[in-house]
PDB file of all heavy atoms in Angstrom:
ATOM      1  N   LYS A1310      15.157   3.432 -12.612  1.00 97.00           N
ATOM      2  CA  LYS A1310      14.258   2.342 -12.947  1.00 97.00           C
ATOM      3  C   LYS A1310      12.850   2.862 -13.219  1.00 97.00           C
ATOM      4  O   LYS A1310      12.524   4.012 -12.935  1.00 97.00           O
ATOM      5  CB  LYS A1310      14.213   1.312 -11.818  1.00 97.00           C
ATOM      6  CG  LYS A1310      15.540   0.622 -11.548  1.00 97.00           C
ATOM      7  CD  LYS A1310      15.402  -0.441 -10.478  1.00 97.00           C
ATOM      8  CE  LYS A1310      16.710  -1.158 -10.234  1.00 97.00           C
ATOM      9  NZ  LYS A1310      16.571  -2.214  -9.199  1.00 97.00           N
ATOM     10  N   GLN A1311      12.026   1.995 -13.778  1.00 96.00           N
ATOM     11  CA  GLN A1311      10.637   2.332 -14.052  1.00 96.00           C
ATOM     12  C   GLN A1311       9.816   2.338 -12.762  1.00 96.00           C
ATOM     13  O   GLN A1311      10.138   1.649 -11.795  1.00 96.00           O
ATOM     14  CB  GLN A1311      10.036   1.344 -15.044  1.00 96.00           C
ATOM     15  CG  GLN A1311      10.686   1.340 -16.421  1.00 96.00           C
ATOM     16  CD  GLN A1311      10.309   2.557 -17.236  1.00 96.00           C
ATOM     17  OE1 GLN A1311       9.357   3.270 -16.921  1.00 96.00           O
ATOM     18  NE2 GLN A1311      11.049   2.812 -18.295  1.00 96.00           N
ATOM     19  N   ARG A1312       8.767   3.109 -12.792  1.00 97.00           N
ATOM     20  CA  ARG A1312       7.864   3.124 -11.665  1.00 97.00           C
ATOM     21  C   ARG A1312       7.214   1.751 -11.498  1.00 97.00           C
ATOM     22  O   ARG A1312       6.826   1.117 -12.480  1.00 97.00           O
ATOM     23  CB  ARG A1312       6.794   4.195 -11.863  1.00 97.00           C
ATOM     24  CG  ARG A1312       5.906   4.427 -10.656  1.00 97.00           C
ATOM     25  CD  ARG A1312       4.983   5.618 -10.866  1.00 97.00           C
ATOM     26  NE  ARG A1312       5.737   6.854 -11.085  1.00 97.00           N
ATOM     27  CZ  ARG A1312       5.182   8.046 -11.229  1.00 97.00           C
ATOM     28  NH1 ARG A1312       3.862   8.180 -11.179  1.00 97.00           N
ATOM     29  NH2 ARG A1312       5.944   9.115 -11.436  1.00 97.00           N
ATOM     30  N   GLU A1313       7.102   1.292 -10.273  1.00 97.00           N
ATOM     31  CA  GLU A1313       6.596  -0.030 -10.003  1.00 97.00           C
ATOM     32  C   GLU A1313       5.534   0.001  -8.914  1.00 97.00           C
ATOM     33  O   GLU A1313       5.531   0.867  -8.039  1.00 97.00           O
ATOM     34  CB  GLU A1313       7.728  -0.977  -9.585  1.00 97.00           C
ATOM     35  CG  GLU A1313       8.404  -0.588  -8.282  1.00 97.00           C
ATOM     36  CD  GLU A1313       9.603  -1.454  -7.955  1.00 97.00           C
ATOM     37  OE1 GLU A1313      10.392  -1.740  -8.885  1.00 97.00           O
ATOM     38  OE2 GLU A1313       9.749  -1.857  -6.784  1.00 97.00           O
ATOM     39  N   LEU A1314       4.662  -0.969  -8.974  1.00 97.00           N
ATOM     40  CA  LEU A1314       3.585  -1.071  -7.998  1.00 97.00           C
ATOM     41  C   LEU A1314       4.120  -1.541  -6.653  1.00 97.00           C
ATOM     42  O   LEU A1314       4.869  -2.513  -6.573  1.00 97.00           O
ATOM     43  CB  LEU A1314       2.521  -2.052  -8.499  1.00 97.00           C
ATOM     44  CG  LEU A1314       1.414  -2.415  -7.504  1.00 97.00           C
ATOM     45  CD1 LEU A1314       0.523  -1.207  -7.226  1.00 97.00           C
ATOM     46  CD2 LEU A1314       0.575  -3.575  -8.037  1.00 97.00           C
ATOM     47  N   VAL A1315       3.700  -0.859  -5.606  1.00 97.00           N
ATOM     48  CA  VAL A1315       3.975  -1.311  -4.252  1.00 97.00           C
ATOM     49  C   VAL A1315       2.776  -2.091  -3.721  1.00 97.00           C
ATOM     50  O   VAL A1315       2.878  -3.277  -3.404  1.00 97.00           O
ATOM     51  CB  VAL A1315       4.312  -0.136  -3.320  1.00 97.00           C
ATOM     52  CG1 VAL A1315       4.494  -0.634  -1.885  1.00 97.00           C
ATOM     53  CG2 VAL A1315       5.561   0.580  -3.802  1.00 97.00           C
ATOM     54  N   ALA A1316       1.633  -1.424  -3.629  1.00 97.00           N
ATOM     55  CA  ALA A1316       0.419  -2.087  -3.178  1.00 97.00           C
ATOM     56  C   ALA A1316      -0.783  -1.194  -3.445  1.00 97.00           C
ATOM     57  O   ALA A1316      -0.677   0.034  -3.426  1.00 97.00           O
ATOM     58  CB  ALA A1316       0.490  -2.430  -1.686  1.00 97.00           C
ATOM     59  N   LEU A1317      -1.920  -1.827  -3.678  1.00 97.00           N
ATOM     60  CA  LEU A1317      -3.186  -1.133  -3.844  1.00 97.00           C
ATOM     61  C   LEU A1317      -4.199  -1.721  -2.871  1.00 97.00           C
ATOM     62  O   LEU A1317      -4.128  -2.903  -2.518  1.00 97.00           O
ATOM     63  CB  LEU A1317      -3.716  -1.268  -5.272  1.00 97.00           C
ATOM     64  CG  LEU A1317      -2.854  -0.694  -6.391  1.00 97.00           C
ATOM     65  CD1 LEU A1317      -3.436  -1.072  -7.747  1.00 97.00           C
ATOM     66  CD2 LEU A1317      -2.741   0.814  -6.264  1.00 97.00           C
ATOM     67  N   ILE A1318      -5.149  -0.908  -2.476  1.00 97.00           N
ATOM     68  CA  ILE A1318      -6.190  -1.359  -1.565  1.00 97.00           C
ATOM     69  C   ILE A1318      -7.513  -0.747  -1.979  1.00 97.00           C
ATOM     70  O   ILE A1318      -7.615   0.445  -2.257  1.00 97.00           O
ATOM     71  CB  ILE A1318      -5.828  -1.019  -0.102  1.00 97.00           C
ATOM     72  CG1 ILE A1318      -6.886  -1.561   0.858  1.00 97.00           C
ATOM     73  CG2 ILE A1318      -5.602   0.473   0.076  1.00 97.00           C
ATOM     74  CD1 ILE A1318      -6.454  -1.504   2.317  1.00 97.00           C
ATOM     75  N   THR A1319      -8.543  -1.574  -2.042  1.00 95.00           N
ATOM     76  CA  THR A1319      -9.862  -1.103  -2.422  1.00 95.00           C
ATOM     77  C   THR A1319     -10.585  -0.513  -1.218  1.00 95.00           C
ATOM     78  O   THR A1319     -10.137  -0.629  -0.077  1.00 95.00           O
ATOM     79  CB  THR A1319     -10.701  -2.241  -3.013  1.00 95.00           C
ATOM     80  OG1 THR A1319     -11.029  -3.182  -1.972  1.00 95.00           O
ATOM     81  CG2 THR A1319      -9.940  -2.964  -4.114  1.00 95.00           C
ATOM     82  N   SER A1320     -11.719   0.102  -1.491  1.00 91.00           N
ATOM     83  CA  SER A1320     -12.508   0.695  -0.416  1.00 91.00           C
ATOM     84  C   SER A1320     -13.046  -0.346   0.548  1.00 91.00           C
ATOM     85  O   SER A1320     -13.369  -0.021   1.690  1.00 91.00           O
ATOM     86  CB  SER A1320     -13.651   1.526  -0.988  1.00 91.00           C
ATOM     87  OG  SER A1320     -14.457   0.757  -1.859  1.00 91.00           O
ATOM     88  N   SER A1321     -13.134  -1.590   0.095  1.00 92.00           N
ATOM     89  CA  SER A1321     -13.604  -2.667   0.953  1.00 92.00           C
ATOM     90  C   SER A1321     -12.473  -3.438   1.618  1.00 92.00           C
ATOM     91  O   SER A1321     -12.725  -4.390   2.352  1.00 92.00           O
ATOM     92  CB  SER A1321     -14.489  -3.629   0.161  1.00 92.00           C
ATOM     93  OG  SER A1321     -13.783  -4.199  -0.922  1.00 92.00           O
ATOM     94  N   GLY A1322     -11.234  -3.043   1.354  1.00 94.00           N
ATOM     95  CA  GLY A1322     -10.107  -3.646   2.032  1.00 94.00           C
ATOM     96  C   GLY A1322      -9.324  -4.674   1.246  1.00 94.00           C
ATOM     97  O   GLY A1322      -8.354  -5.238   1.772  1.00 94.00           O
ATOM     98  N   GLY A1323      -9.717  -4.952   0.021  1.00 96.00           N
ATOM     99  CA  GLY A1323      -8.971  -5.886  -0.789  1.00 96.00           C
ATOM    100  C   GLY A1323      -7.629  -5.323  -1.214  1.00 96.00           C
ATOM    101  O   GLY A1323      -7.530  -4.171  -1.627  1.00 96.00           O
ATOM    102  N   ILE A1324      -6.595  -6.136  -1.133  1.00 97.00           N
ATOM    103  CA  ILE A1324      -5.234  -5.671  -1.355  1.00 97.00           C
ATOM    104  C   ILE A1324      -4.598  -6.384  -2.536  1.00 97.00           C
ATOM    105  O   ILE A1324      -4.716  -7.601  -2.680  1.00 97.00           O
ATOM    106  CB  ILE A1324      -4.377  -5.887  -0.094  1.00 97.00           C
ATOM    107  CG1 ILE A1324      -4.886  -5.012   1.046  1.00 97.00           C
ATOM    108  CG2 ILE A1324      -2.903  -5.595  -0.381  1.00 97.00           C
ATOM    109  CD1 ILE A1324      -4.221  -5.282   2.377  1.00 97.00           C
ATOM    110  N   THR A1325      -3.928  -5.606  -3.356  1.00 96.00           N
ATOM    111  CA  THR A1325      -3.070  -6.126  -4.400  1.00 96.00           C
ATOM    112  C   THR A1325      -1.643  -5.752  -4.045  1.00 96.00           C
ATOM    113  O   THR A1325      -1.308  -4.571  -3.938  1.00 96.00           O
ATOM    114  CB  THR A1325      -3.425  -5.553  -5.773  1.00 96.00           C
ATOM    115  OG1 THR A1325      -4.756  -5.939  -6.125  1.00 96.00           O
ATOM    116  CG2 THR A1325      -2.467  -6.080  -6.835  1.00 96.00           C
ATOM    117  N   ASP A1326      -0.807  -6.752  -3.837  1.00 95.00           N
ATOM    118  CA  ASP A1326       0.570  -6.545  -3.438  1.00 95.00           C
ATOM    119  C   ASP A1326       1.480  -6.700  -4.647  1.00 95.00           C
ATOM    120  O   ASP A1326       1.454  -7.740  -5.317  1.00 95.00           O
ATOM    121  CB  ASP A1326       0.954  -7.553  -2.354  1.00 95.00           C
ATOM    122  CG  ASP A1326       2.282  -7.231  -1.684  1.00 95.00           C
ATOM    123  OD1 ASP A1326       3.099  -6.489  -2.272  1.00 95.00           O
ATOM    124  OD2 ASP A1326       2.512  -7.734  -0.570  1.00 95.00           O
ATOM    125  N   GLY A1327       2.266  -5.680  -4.912  1.00 95.00           N
ATOM    126  CA  GLY A1327       3.173  -5.739  -6.037  1.00 95.00           C
ATOM    127  C   GLY A1327       4.383  -6.621  -5.818  1.00 95.00           C
ATOM    128  O   GLY A1327       5.089  -6.944  -6.771  1.00 95.00           O
ATOM    129  N   GLY A1328       4.643  -6.995  -4.582  1.00 91.00           N
ATOM    130  CA  GLY A1328       5.740  -7.890  -4.283  1.00 91.00           C
ATOM    131  C   GLY A1328       7.078  -7.225  -4.056  1.00 91.00           C
ATOM    132  O   GLY A1328       8.045  -7.901  -3.689  1.00 91.00           O
ATOM    133  N   SER A1329       7.158  -5.929  -4.223  1.00 85.00           N
ATOM    134  CA  SER A1329       8.433  -5.243  -4.095  1.00 85.00           C
ATOM    135  C   SER A1329       8.954  -5.223  -2.665  1.00 85.00           C
ATOM    136  O   SER A1329      10.163  -5.183  -2.442  1.00 85.00           O
ATOM    137  CB  SER A1329       8.314  -3.807  -4.612  1.00 85.00           C
ATOM    138  OG  SER A1329       7.923  -3.790  -5.978  1.00 85.00           O
ATOM    139  N   GLY A1330       8.044  -5.239  -1.718  1.00 82.00           N
ATOM    140  CA  GLY A1330       8.433  -5.081  -0.331  1.00 82.00           C
ATOM    141  C   GLY A1330       8.847  -6.352   0.378  1.00 82.00           C
ATOM    142  O   GLY A1330       9.279  -6.291   1.535  1.00 82.00           O
ATOM    143  N   GLU A1331       8.697  -7.469  -0.281  1.00 84.00           N
ATOM    144  CA  GLU A1331       9.104  -8.756   0.294  1.00 84.00           C
ATOM    145  C   GLU A1331       8.486  -8.986   1.669  1.00 84.00           C
ATOM    146  O   GLU A1331       9.136  -9.497   2.577  1.00 84.00           O
ATOM    147  CB  GLU A1331      10.631  -8.836   0.363  1.00 84.00           C
ATOM    148  CG  GLU A1331      11.312  -8.680  -0.976  1.00 84.00           C
ATOM    149  CD  GLU A1331      12.823  -8.597  -0.859  1.00 84.00           C
ATOM    150  OE1 GLU A1331      13.301  -7.990   0.118  1.00 84.00           O
ATOM    151  OE2 GLU A1331      13.513  -9.152  -1.736  1.00 84.00           O
ATOM    152  N   GLY A1332       7.232  -8.584   1.827  1.00 89.00           N
ATOM    153  CA  GLY A1332       6.535  -8.759   3.075  1.00 89.00           C
ATOM    154  C   GLY A1332       6.768  -7.670   4.093  1.00 89.00           C
ATOM    155  O   GLY A1332       6.186  -7.723   5.183  1.00 89.00           O
ATOM    156  N   ARG A1333       7.576  -6.688   3.781  1.00 95.00           N
ATOM    157  CA  ARG A1333       7.901  -5.624   4.719  1.00 95.00           C
ATOM    158  C   ARG A1333       6.995  -4.406   4.589  1.00 95.00           C
ATOM    159  O   ARG A1333       7.067  -3.502   5.430  1.00 95.00           O
ATOM    160  CB  ARG A1333       9.357  -5.194   4.531  1.00 95.00           C
ATOM    161  CG  ARG A1333      10.359  -6.319   4.792  1.00 95.00           C
ATOM    162  CD  ARG A1333      11.795  -5.877   4.496  1.00 95.00           C
ATOM    163  NE  ARG A1333      11.990  -5.595   3.077  1.00 95.00           N
ATOM    164  CZ  ARG A1333      12.143  -4.376   2.573  1.00 95.00           C
ATOM    165  NH1 ARG A1333      12.133  -3.314   3.366  1.00 95.00           N
ATOM    166  NH2 ARG A1333      12.315  -4.207   1.272  1.00 95.00           N
ATOM    167  N   PHE A1334       6.161  -4.374   3.560  1.00 96.00           N
ATOM    168  CA  PHE A1334       5.269  -3.240   3.324  1.00 96.00           C
ATOM    169  C   PHE A1334       3.840  -3.633   3.663  1.00 96.00           C
ATOM    170  O   PHE A1334       3.387  -4.724   3.295  1.00 96.00           O
ATOM    171  CB  PHE A1334       5.317  -2.801   1.860  1.00 96.00           C
ATOM    172  CG  PHE A1334       6.646  -2.252   1.407  1.00 96.00           C
ATOM    173  CD1 PHE A1334       6.804  -1.829   0.092  1.00 96.00           C
ATOM    174  CD2 PHE A1334       7.722  -2.135   2.268  1.00 96.00           C
ATOM    175  CE1 PHE A1334       8.010  -1.314  -0.341  1.00 96.00           C
ATOM    176  CE2 PHE A1334       8.939  -1.628   1.842  1.00 96.00           C
ATOM    177  CZ  PHE A1334       9.079  -1.214   0.527  1.00 96.00           C
ATOM    178  N   THR A1335       3.143  -2.746   4.339  1.00 97.00           N
ATOM    179  CA  THR A1335       1.753  -2.973   4.691  1.00 97.00           C
ATOM    180  C   THR A1335       0.927  -1.760   4.302  1.00 97.00           C
ATOM    181  O   THR A1335       1.182  -0.660   4.794  1.00 97.00           O
ATOM    182  CB  THR A1335       1.588  -3.251   6.190  1.00 97.00           C
ATOM    183  OG1 THR A1335       2.394  -4.373   6.573  1.00 97.00           O
ATOM    184  CG2 THR A1335       0.125  -3.548   6.508  1.00 97.00           C
ATOM    185  N   VAL A1336      -0.052  -1.963   3.438  1.00 97.00           N
ATOM    186  CA  VAL A1336      -0.929  -0.881   3.020  1.00 97.00           C
ATOM    187  C   VAL A1336      -2.236  -0.965   3.806  1.00 97.00           C
ATOM    188  O   VAL A1336      -2.735  -2.063   4.091  1.00 97.00           O
ATOM    189  CB  VAL A1336      -1.192  -0.928   1.501  1.00 97.00           C
ATOM    190  CG1 VAL A1336      -1.976  -2.169   1.110  1.00 97.00           C
ATOM    191  CG2 VAL A1336      -1.909   0.338   1.039  1.00 97.00           C
ATOM    192  N   SER A1337      -2.759   0.171   4.180  1.00 97.00           N
ATOM    193  CA  SER A1337      -4.030   0.243   4.886  1.00 97.00           C
ATOM    194  C   SER A1337      -4.705   1.560   4.530  1.00 97.00           C
ATOM    195  O   SER A1337      -4.100   2.420   3.891  1.00 97.00           O
ATOM    196  CB  SER A1337      -3.833   0.114   6.399  1.00 97.00           C
ATOM    197  OG  SER A1337      -3.025   1.165   6.905  1.00 97.00           O
ATOM    198  N   ARG A1338      -5.954   1.706   4.950  1.00 95.00           N
ATOM    199  CA  ARG A1338      -6.660   2.942   4.647  1.00 95.00           C
ATOM    200  C   ARG A1338      -7.683   3.263   5.722  1.00 95.00           C
ATOM    201  O   ARG A1338      -8.175   2.378   6.429  1.00 95.00           O
ATOM    202  CB  ARG A1338      -7.338   2.877   3.270  1.00 95.00           C
ATOM    203  CG  ARG A1338      -8.371   1.779   3.114  1.00 95.00           C
ATOM    204  CD  ARG A1338      -8.839   1.689   1.658  1.00 95.00           C
ATOM    205  NE  ARG A1338      -9.702   2.800   1.293  1.00 95.00           N
ATOM    206  CZ  ARG A1338     -10.046   3.103   0.041  1.00 95.00           C
ATOM    207  NH1 ARG A1338      -9.557   2.400  -0.975  1.00 95.00           N
ATOM    208  NH2 ARG A1338     -10.856   4.121  -0.194  1.00 95.00           N
ATOM    209  N   ASP A1339      -7.985   4.525   5.810  1.00 94.00           N
ATOM    210  CA  ASP A1339      -9.018   5.035   6.691  1.00 94.00           C
ATOM    211  C   ASP A1339     -10.046   5.703   5.792  1.00 94.00           C
ATOM    212  O   ASP A1339      -9.843   6.823   5.331  1.00 94.00           O
ATOM    213  CB  ASP A1339      -8.437   6.024   7.701  1.00 94.00           C
ATOM    214  CG  ASP A1339      -9.458   6.506   8.713  1.00 94.00           C
ATOM    215  OD1 ASP A1339     -10.667   6.448   8.436  1.00 94.00           O
ATOM    216  OD2 ASP A1339      -9.039   6.951   9.798  1.00 94.00           O
ATOM    217  N   ASN A1340     -11.124   5.011   5.542  1.00 90.00           N
ATOM    218  CA  ASN A1340     -12.122   5.522   4.605  1.00 90.00           C
ATOM    219  C   ASN A1340     -12.780   6.810   5.096  1.00 90.00           C
ATOM    220  O   ASN A1340     -13.113   7.682   4.294  1.00 90.00           O
ATOM    221  CB  ASN A1340     -13.187   4.460   4.351  1.00 90.00           C
ATOM    222  CG  ASN A1340     -12.671   3.299   3.540  1.00 90.00           C
ATOM    223  OD1 ASN A1340     -11.705   3.438   2.778  1.00 90.00           O
ATOM    224  ND2 ASN A1340     -13.293   2.143   3.673  1.00 90.00           N
ATOM    225  N   ALA A1341     -12.968   6.923   6.390  1.00 90.00           N
ATOM    226  CA  ALA A1341     -13.599   8.116   6.935  1.00 90.00           C
ATOM    227  C   ALA A1341     -12.764   9.361   6.696  1.00 90.00           C
ATOM    228  O   ALA A1341     -13.306  10.466   6.585  1.00 90.00           O
ATOM    229  CB  ALA A1341     -13.873   7.936   8.426  1.00 90.00           C
ATOM    230  N   LYS A1342     -11.454   9.194   6.624  1.00 93.00           N
ATOM    231  CA  LYS A1342     -10.558  10.324   6.425  1.00 93.00           C
ATOM    232  C   LYS A1342      -9.961  10.367   5.028  1.00 93.00           C
ATOM    233  O   LYS A1342      -9.101  11.206   4.756  1.00 93.00           O
ATOM    234  CB  LYS A1342      -9.436  10.293   7.463  1.00 93.00           C
ATOM    235  CG  LYS A1342      -9.928  10.433   8.889  1.00 93.00           C
ATOM    236  CD  LYS A1342      -8.775  10.437   9.877  1.00 93.00           C
ATOM    237  CE  LYS A1342      -9.275  10.622  11.295  1.00 93.00           C
ATOM    238  NZ  LYS A1342      -8.159  10.637  12.281  1.00 93.00           N
ATOM    239  N   ASN A1343     -10.405   9.471   4.160  1.00 93.00           N
ATOM    240  CA  ASN A1343      -9.889   9.406   2.788  1.00 93.00           C
ATOM    241  C   ASN A1343      -8.366   9.374   2.763  1.00 93.00           C
ATOM    242  O   ASN A1343      -7.717  10.110   2.015  1.00 93.00           O
ATOM    243  CB  ASN A1343     -10.413  10.584   1.965  1.00 93.00           C
ATOM    244  CG  ASN A1343     -11.916  10.562   1.794  1.00 93.00           C
ATOM    245  OD1 ASN A1343     -12.516   9.508   1.597  1.00 93.00           O
ATOM    246  ND2 ASN A1343     -12.531  11.731   1.869  1.00 93.00           N
ATOM    247  N   THR A1344      -7.823   8.517   3.577  1.00 96.00           N
ATOM    248  CA  THR A1344      -6.383   8.445   3.746  1.00 96.00           C
ATOM    249  C   THR A1344      -5.891   7.018   3.542  1.00 96.00           C
ATOM    250  O   THR A1344      -6.512   6.067   4.027  1.00 96.00           O
ATOM    251  CB  THR A1344      -5.969   8.934   5.141  1.00 96.00           C
ATOM    252  OG1 THR A1344      -6.428  10.277   5.328  1.00 96.00           O
ATOM    253  CG2 THR A1344      -4.458   8.906   5.302  1.00 96.00           C
ATOM    254  N   VAL A1345      -4.785   6.890   2.839  1.00 97.00           N
ATOM    255  CA  VAL A1345      -4.140   5.607   2.652  1.00 97.00           C
ATOM    256  C   VAL A1345      -2.750   5.679   3.271  1.00 97.00           C
ATOM    257  O   VAL A1345      -2.086   6.716   3.215  1.00 97.00           O
ATOM    258  CB  VAL A1345      -4.074   5.213   1.162  1.00 97.00           C
ATOM    259  CG1 VAL A1345      -3.260   6.217   0.357  1.00 97.00           C
ATOM    260  CG2 VAL A1345      -3.512   3.808   1.003  1.00 97.00           C
ATOM    261  N   PHE A1346      -2.330   4.572   3.863  1.00 98.00           N
ATOM    262  CA  PHE A1346      -1.053   4.510   4.558  1.00 98.00           C
ATOM    263  C   PHE A1346      -0.181   3.426   3.951  1.00 98.00           C
ATOM    264  O   PHE A1346      -0.664   2.456   3.374  1.00 98.00           O
ATOM    265  CB  PHE A1346      -1.251   4.202   6.042  1.00 98.00           C
ATOM    266  CG  PHE A1346      -2.177   5.140   6.749  1.00 98.00           C
ATOM    267  CD1 PHE A1346      -3.528   4.831   6.890  1.00 98.00           C
ATOM    268  CD2 PHE A1346      -1.717   6.325   7.284  1.00 98.00           C
ATOM    269  CE1 PHE A1346      -4.386   5.684   7.552  1.00 98.00           C
ATOM    270  CE2 PHE A1346      -2.560   7.191   7.945  1.00 98.00           C
ATOM    271  CZ  PHE A1346      -3.900   6.868   8.076  1.00 98.00           C
ATOM    272  N   LEU A1347       1.102   3.605   4.122  1.00 98.00           N
ATOM    273  CA  LEU A1347       2.060   2.570   3.786  1.00 98.00           C
ATOM    274  C   LEU A1347       3.058   2.454   4.928  1.00 98.00           C
ATOM    275  O   LEU A1347       3.853   3.367   5.153  1.00 98.00           O
ATOM    276  CB  LEU A1347       2.795   2.864   2.479  1.00 98.00           C
ATOM    277  CG  LEU A1347       3.771   1.772   2.029  1.00 98.00           C
ATOM    278  CD1 LEU A1347       3.018   0.503   1.637  1.00 98.00           C
ATOM    279  CD2 LEU A1347       4.644   2.254   0.873  1.00 98.00           C
ATOM    280  N   GLN A1348       2.982   1.353   5.641  1.00 98.00           N
ATOM    281  CA  GLN A1348       3.928   1.066   6.701  1.00 98.00           C
ATOM    282  C   GLN A1348       5.078   0.281   6.107  1.00 98.00           C
ATOM    283  O   GLN A1348       4.874  -0.777   5.510  1.00 98.00           O
ATOM    284  CB  GLN A1348       3.258   0.259   7.817  1.00 98.00           C
ATOM    285  CG  GLN A1348       4.186  -0.157   8.945  1.00 98.00           C
ATOM    286  CD  GLN A1348       4.614   1.000   9.820  1.00 98.00           C
ATOM    287  OE1 GLN A1348       3.844   1.937  10.029  1.00 98.00           O
ATOM    288  NE2 GLN A1348       5.835   0.944  10.332  1.00 98.00           N
ATOM    289  N   ILE A1349       6.275   0.798   6.264  1.00 97.00           N
ATOM    290  CA  ILE A1349       7.469   0.153   5.743  1.00 97.00           C
ATOM    291  C   ILE A1349       8.373  -0.204   6.912  1.00 97.00           C
ATOM    292  O   ILE A1349       8.815   0.677   7.653  1.00 97.00           O
ATOM    293  CB  ILE A1349       8.236   1.038   4.755  1.00 97.00           C
ATOM    294  CG1 ILE A1349       7.283   1.665   3.734  1.00 97.00           C
ATOM    295  CG2 ILE A1349       9.315   0.225   4.048  1.00 97.00           C
ATOM    296  CD1 ILE A1349       7.957   2.638   2.791  1.00 97.00           C
ATOM    297  N   ASP A1350       8.654  -1.467   7.060  1.00 97.00           N
ATOM    298  CA  ASP A1350       9.504  -1.951   8.140  1.00 97.00           C
ATOM    299  C   ASP A1350      10.798  -2.523   7.581  1.00 97.00           C
ATOM    300  O   ASP A1350      10.883  -2.904   6.415  1.00 97.00           O
ATOM    301  CB  ASP A1350       8.774  -3.015   8.960  1.00 97.00           C
ATOM    302  CG  ASP A1350       7.531  -2.500   9.642  1.00 97.00           C
ATOM    303  OD1 ASP A1350       7.574  -1.384  10.191  1.00 97.00           O
ATOM    304  OD2 ASP A1350       6.500  -3.215   9.634  1.00 97.00           O
TER     305      ASP A1350
END
């Protein structure tokens, strides 16, 4: 399949959810460490 969006998050915390995770995916970030996370349940 084609590559699809999971989720994006801005530096201020705004989130764009691609909808693929059906509520099971959570994106977050640590700005101090320049790190983005994806929790998949």
